[in-house]
Amino acid sequence: MNEPATPASSPGKPVVALALGAGGAKGLAHIGALEELEHQGYAIGAIAGSSMGALIGGIYAMGKLDVYRDWVCTLARFDVLRLVDWTFRGGLIKGEKIIETLRQLIGDARIEELPLAFTAVATDIDREREVWLTRGQLFDAIRASIAIPTVFRPHLLDGRRLVDGALLNPVPVTPLIRERCDFLMAVSLDGPTGPLAPAQEADASPEPRAGLLGRLLAHGGAKVPPVREPGALELLTQAMDLMQSNLARMRLAAYEPDLLIQIPRDAAATYEFYRARELIELGRTRTREALERWRPAPEAA
């Protein structure tokens, strides 16, 4: 079996093993984190990712992160909807349209031939166990890792029905424990809530503005609009976020990385990919701040 290459540490350039967490559109913050690490002179030697972390990590491992970043930053709200292929068998979305779009944009590769060690984490729903995908076609592994149950159709791979890796390991530090790197870093998308205001767009949903207007008028005796009931999909994603957040905290307590970067779990809704620019910048800022608070001791010349 061919082992993925892991770059040797260069003088003054520490090599990082990086775990990228799950979290839908919040995962675009991983782009900013990766770019900031490179900007500050770190080399990435190994990546493990769950769900959106697998997608960003795999594209980075191919050397095509800039291509994906430029594309995703052009997406508007309705562009995201056009990438959805609806179905009612095994989930709401087939998931093939977005994967085929990315294959055409980026290409594909075998994981074992990538220039750095890469692991996509998925869940075998029938055997009830975590699966580490380290061989085979990259986008097959990514498709399996992003398959949120009831939202995406499970991905059949080697006779197994695979779904979202976040069900069992939302911040996959464990596949990296044995990697020969200088330190282990994780980016969690389930951090404490923080001050990132929702995007203000011309086509934004009217509910937030109506809610604010209602509160303002309430002081004049006007009737406040009733609270909007969440739809089935919104309620499902809210429940998944809650479960994932608690599981991430437990896993990180058991397998503590050398450095943890936390993206607020309320930074964006699951499908707000049209907010790419601000989420990428959030990841960049949080990574810069974390590195300023913690730095490994410089190696002797």
Side-chain angles (χ1 to χ4, degrees):
M1 180 182 296
N2 295 327
E3 293 295 332
T6 300
S9 179
S10 302
K13 194 170 187 180
V15 178
V16 182
L18 185 60
L20 300 179
K26 295 191 297 290
L28 295 172
H30 292 321
I31 298 174
L34 284 159
E35 290 180 343
E36 184 63 24
L37 283 168
E38 285 194 338
H39 176 72
Q40 296 207 24
Y42 293 89
I44 312 299
I47 295 180
S50 272
S51 201
M52 192 63 181
L55 190 150
I56 298 297
I59 291 172
Y60 176 86
M62 281 189 69
K64 298 293 184 68
L65 188 63
D66 57 338
V67 177
Y68 176 78
R69 179 201 60 219
D70 293 346
W71 173 76
V72 79
C73 284
T74 67
L75 294 181
R77 186 187 299 256
F78 290 105
D79 293 323
V80 176
L81 290 175
R82 280 193 285 268
L83 292 170
V84 174
D85 44 1
W86 298 104
T87 182
F88 296 98
R89 298 182 61 185
L92 295 174
I93 301 169
K94 292 179 185 177
E96 307 309 325
K97 190 171 183 179
I98 178 61
I99 291 298
E100 187 55 34
T101 299
L102 292 175
R103 278 198 177 107
Q104 292 177 9
L105 179 72
I106 293 164
D108 206 344
R110 294 191 64 82
I111 296 173
E112 60 269 29
E113 296 172 358
L114 295 173
L116 55 83
F118 174 73
T119 303
V121 177
T123 301
D124 186 325
I125 194 68
D126 297 308
R127 295 175 177 83
E128 302 178 357
R129 65 182 63 172
E130 186 177 324
V131 177
W132 297 355
L133 300 170
T134 59
R135 298 182 63 80
Q137 292 301 126
L138 175 64
F139 275 102
D140 277 340
I142 290 172
R143 172 63 181 83
S145 188
I146 67 172
I148 303 170
T150 75
V151 177
F152 282 94
R153 180 186 291 174
H155 188 59
L156 187 63
L157 186 63
D158 298 330
R160 299 174 294 185
R161 286 196 310 151
L162 301 181
V163 297
D164 196 340
L167 262 66
L168 295 178
N169 197 350
V171 189
V173 171
T174 41
L176 299 170
I177 296 297
R178 296 180 182 177
E179 292 294 342
R180 296 186 298 275
C181 294
D182 295 314
F183 69 98
L184 198 162
M185 172 179 153
V187 182
S188 171
L189 306 177
D190 298 296
T193 57
L196 182 67
Q200 298 298 315
E201 299 184 12
D203 65 341
S205 172
E207 286 86 359
R209 292 195 295 270
L212 175 60
L213 181 60
R215 288 194 297 273
L216 291 172
L217 293 176
H219 296 288
K223 183 178 179 180
V224 178
V227 176
R228 182 178 62 87
E229 288 292 329
L233 185 57
E234 184 180 351
L235 188 60
L236 173 64
T237 55
Q238 186 177 0
M240 288 284 292
D241 284 348
L242 176 61
M243 179 182 69
Q244 180 178 305
S245 178
N246 280 277
L247 181 56
R249 286 197 295 270
M250 288 189 289
R251 294 295 296 246
L252 288 169
Y255 302 97
E256 186 176 0
D258 297 306
L259 177 62
L260 175 63
I261 295 169
Q262 293 183 300
I263 305 300
R265 62 180 178 272
D266 64 345
T270 303
Y271 305 106
E272 290 184 324
F273 288 91
Y274 52 87
R275 295 174 58 192
R277 294 183 188 277
E278 62 178 302
L279 291 166
I280 291 169
E281 188 58 34
L282 175 64
R284 192 189 322 278
T285 300
R286 288 297 176 109
T287 301
R288 185 185 309 121
E289 292 171 350
L291 289 170
E292 286 173 355
R293 292 191 298 267
W294 177 91
R295 288 184 183 277
E299 295 180 1

